[in-house]
Amino acid sequence: MYEEGLDQLCDFLISAKSTMALTGAGISAESEIPTFRGVQGLWEKYDIMEYAHIDAFMSNPAKVWKMLMELDETITTARPNPAHDALAELEKMGLLHMVVTQNVDNLHQEAGSTQVVEFHGNSQKFRCIGCRSEFERSAVSLENIPPRCNCGGLIKPDVIFFGEAIPWAANLKAFEMAKQVDLIIVVGTSAVVAPASEIPVMAKQSGAKVVEINLEATVLTGRVSDVLIQGSAGEILPVVVERVKKRRQ
Ligand code: OAD
């Protein structure tokens, strides 16, 4: 069904000098981490303004921490799936130069990708919002929530809540790369949250091919993306790796 798109992506990967991927929750769905939107999505269960905005955290940190701890259990037991493995393999083959991920689950790194830009932070690191000290997850006791720093400040996972700025260096790296790549592969994101959603737009405006891998069409489809390969990332990406390997033999 998606044969034509697969061939196009393989052609682009082989001819491109510089490539990047933008990933979202859909790439980790096959690692049993729920996505945010859609029927079983996290935001169906938890209202964004009540749980995912920095103002909500500030006004009721214990309530937000309860949700974060539930999510944390899912994330810490998750393992990379064949889609993460395939992107790591493409990097090893010299065909993928950066993964910008909106995910905070560390699964790209666990799969072996080394050039990962964490656009929304990493849930396994914690930070004091008072003195900005950073902590390893294991160094913070979660017996009493919300945890507090020695300075008295609230500790939160080092992830971006709505209403917070994207980490400066990650933002710069991602957009600089978007301006210079020949190809961006957009995997498992609804592309509705800015500024991450503007990365493929920037790449397109700078002349890159944009290929989406998603179960369904998104706001980018037919407008920004040149190709949508419709299906699961865990099925499609390993096939891409195999085909590119064969073609290069
Ligand atoms: P979403 O939940 O908005 O979108 C997930 C996308 O993945 C959808 O387009 C699905 O169709 C697709 N999808 C699901 N399973 C898939 C699979 N197996 N293979 C391929 N595609 C699949 O998640 P994001 O786009 O990542 O930010 O959400 C962006 C941001 O919104 C998140 O980083 C988070 C959230 O609020 C913050 O909390 C700041």
Side-chain angles (χ1 to χ4, degrees):
M1 195 172 68
Y2 43 63
E3 279 302 314
E4 198 183 333
L6 271 177
D7 280 339
Q8 282 173 297
L9 176 54
C10 294
D11 289 344
F12 294 153
L13 271 168
I14 290 167
S15 62
K17 287 198 180 69
S18 178
T19 62
M20 71 191 292
L22 170 69
T23 65
I27 198 166
S28 295
E30 288 159 88
S31 296
E32 311 298 331
I33 299 177
T35 59
F36 294 98
R37 295 170 184 81
V39 190
Q40 307 259 300
L42 205 67
W43 300 152
E44 277 289 303
K45 189 167 168 194
Y46 295 107
D47 181 80
I48 288 188
M49 294 314 285
E50 256 182 77
Y51 286 94
H53 198 282
I54 187 65
D55 294 346
F57 182 76
M58 295 309 289
S59 61
N60 196 342
K63 177 175 162 183
V64 174
W65 257 106
K66 267 181 99 174
M67 184 267 297
L68 290 170
M69 284 168 75
E70 193 183 313
L71 194 59
D72 183 66
E73 217 177 289
T74 316
I75 288 180
T76 47
T77 53
R79 290 289 157 263
N81 68 57
H84 299 104
D85 295 341
L87 291 186
E89 184 66 18
L90 287 175
E91 181 190 314
K92 278 201 201 96
M93 292 161 72
L95 297 176
L96 182 65
H97 306 106
M98 182 186 286
V99 175
V100 177
T101 187
Q102 297 164 86
N103 302 341
V104 298
D105 56 26
N106 217 40
L107 293 182
H108 286 299
Q109 292 92 326
E110 284 178 35
S113 288
T114 65
Q115 301 304 312
V116 181
V117 172
E118 293 176 314
F119 210 71
H120 290 163
N122 186 311
S123 68
Q124 298 309 295
K125 292 187 189 126
F126 289 179
R127 191 178 286 280
C128 168
I129 59 172
C131 65
R132 306 297 299 160
S133 294
E134 193 183 296
F135 304 91
E136 285 305 314
R137 188 198 175 293
S138 55
V140 176
S141 163
L142 295 179
E143 247 166 61
N144 295 311
I145 56 168
R148 285 196 180 266
C149 176
N150 286 340
C151 81
L154 281 168
I155 292 178
K156 80 182 223 341
D158 201 8
V159 301
I160 301 304
F161 282 83
F162 284 97
E164 288 191 292
I166 301 300
W168 181 83
N171 198 47
L172 188 71
K173 257 184 143 174
F175 278 96
E176 283 302 311
M177 191 67 172
K179 283 185 213 160
Q180 68 181 60
V181 288
D182 307 307
L183 168 68
I184 179 166
I185 312 171
V186 182
V187 188
T189 176
S190 58
V192 295
V193 175
S197 58
E198 288 159 13
I199 294 169
V201 178
M202 172 64 80
K204 175 82 173 181
Q205 284 170 351
S206 307
K209 296 288 183 196
V210 181
V211 176
E212 275 187 280
I213 298 175
N214 201 305
L215 291 180
E216 58 191 28
T218 73
V219 291
L220 301 176
T221 311
R223 200 174 59 85
V224 175
S225 56
D226 297 282
V227 178
L228 165 67
I229 308 177
Q230 193 164 356
S232 99
E235 276 176 30
I236 292 166
L237 279 166
V239 176
V240 171
V241 170
E242 283 318 306
R243 288 206 186 172
V244 170
K245 276 187 179 165
K246 265 198 191 142
R247 289 227 215 149
R248 292 171 108 202
Q249 272 168 7

